[in-house]
Amino acid sequence: LPGFAIGAAAGGLVGMASGAMQNFEKRDDAFKSYVQEAYEGQMSAQEASLTSGSALAAQRETDRISFETLFRRGGVEDMGIVETYLSNLVEMANNTPFLYGDLTAMSKTLATYGYSAQADQAKTLSGERDYNYILDVLETIGDAGAALGQTTGDMEAVATAIGRMKSSNKATLEYLNVLNDRGIGAVGMLAEARGLDQGTMYDMISKGKVSGREAQWKAA
């Protein structure tokens, strides 16, 4: 009996030890799995970040080349202005609902239609917006778009319409209706500026008596 009791106790201890070992192995496997998953997750996130960073860097370089070409056509000789301009776009994207891609697209549209890469220094010092300067025009379009609940597509259409009026120096109902349809009462603004009723202003526009530069400036 004593031997049987000792054997039983020994067997119990062995069983307990085996069970404890199995539990330890399970916990160890679970921990290894957790560590492996965490490591793989970190590596995936790092890879995605590097890919995203590389894509952004490549896009920034593409944008730099595009703006150099556009600004050079506009008479800009100092290409350092391009880097400053792109930095300003990044800052605007960080502080407004605009995405960087939206801003570059609208900037290229406005640059194509002859808007400037540099603001008039006198206006800048006085705190006045320069409606020939791309970033000031973008801010104005953005303010109006936010107030009227416009989509990015709406704002791009507005940028194109005022750009066409500026470059052609023609105010047509086709261009002005792009603004009117998006809640910007361009004809009413022109009429108010001249002290006329809207009917008279519509008649003047249809007869080509309103310049595109006046119209785009008032609309902006």
Side-chain angles (χ1 to χ4, degrees):
L1 287 177
F4 176 78
I6 292 171
L13 290 173
V14 170
M16 290 174 62
S18 177
M21 181 63 71
Q22 290 176 356
N23 289 335
F24 176 79
E25 289 175 350
K26 288 179 180 178
R27 289 197 299 270
D28 186 52
D29 289 342
F31 178 73
K32 289 178 179 178
S33 176
Y34 168 78
V35 171
Q36 181 67 23
E37 289 176 2
Y39 172 77
E40 290 175 354
Q42 289 179 349
M43 292 301 294
S44 296
Q46 183 179 11
E47 183 177 352
S49 177
L50 290 172
T51 300
S52 176
S54 298
L56 287 173
Q59 184 60 51
R60 180 73 178 265
E61 180 63 16
T62 300
D63 291 335
R64 184 185 65 77
I65 294 170
S66 296
F67 280 113
E68 281 185 359
T69 301
L70 288 168
F71 291 165
R72 189 175 285 114
R73 288 176 183 170
V76 175
E77 296 181 359
D78 180 7
M79 289 297 103
I81 290 171
V82 174
E83 287 299 326
T84 300
Y85 185 83
L86 289 175
S87 295
N88 289 335
L89 279 189
V90 171
E91 184 178 355
M92 184 180 288
N94 290 335
N95 293 292
T96 69
F98 281 120
L99 297 176
Y100 173 76
D102 298 332
L103 291 172
T104 54
M106 283 188 280
S107 292
K108 290 173 185 177
T109 296
L110 294 172
T112 298
Y113 289 118
Y115 285 86
S116 175
Q118 295 176 285
D120 181 276
Q121 292 302 309
K123 290 183 178 180
T124 300
L125 291 173
S126 67
E128 182 183 354
R129 281 185 178 176
D130 178 2
Y131 291 116
N132 190 50
Y133 175 45
I134 296 173
L135 287 180
D136 281 352
V137 175
L138 282 178
E139 286 184 3
T140 303
I141 293 173
D143 290 346
L148 297 169
Q150 293 177 351
T151 64
T152 300
D154 289 329
M155 288 183 270
E156 288 176 349
V158 169
T160 300
I162 64 174
R164 286 175 177 171
M165 286 191 285
K166 173 184 170 61
S167 63
S168 67
N169 200 26
K170 294 180 180 179
T172 67
L173 289 178
E174 178 187 358
Y175 299 153
L176 291 169
N177 282 338
V178 171
L179 309 183
N180 289 334
D181 292 346
R182 288 161 176 78
I184 301 173
V187 175
M189 293 176 186
L190 286 167
E192 183 179 352
R194 290 199 177 195
L196 302 172
D197 61 78
Q198 290 198 38
T200 301
M201 181 54 61
Y202 270 110
D203 185 58
M204 292 178 65
I205 292 168
S206 65
K207 292 178 180 178
K209 294 183 178 180
V210 180
S211 74
R213 291 189 178 90
E214 177 188 0
Q216 65 88 27
W217 183 79
K218 293 296 183 185

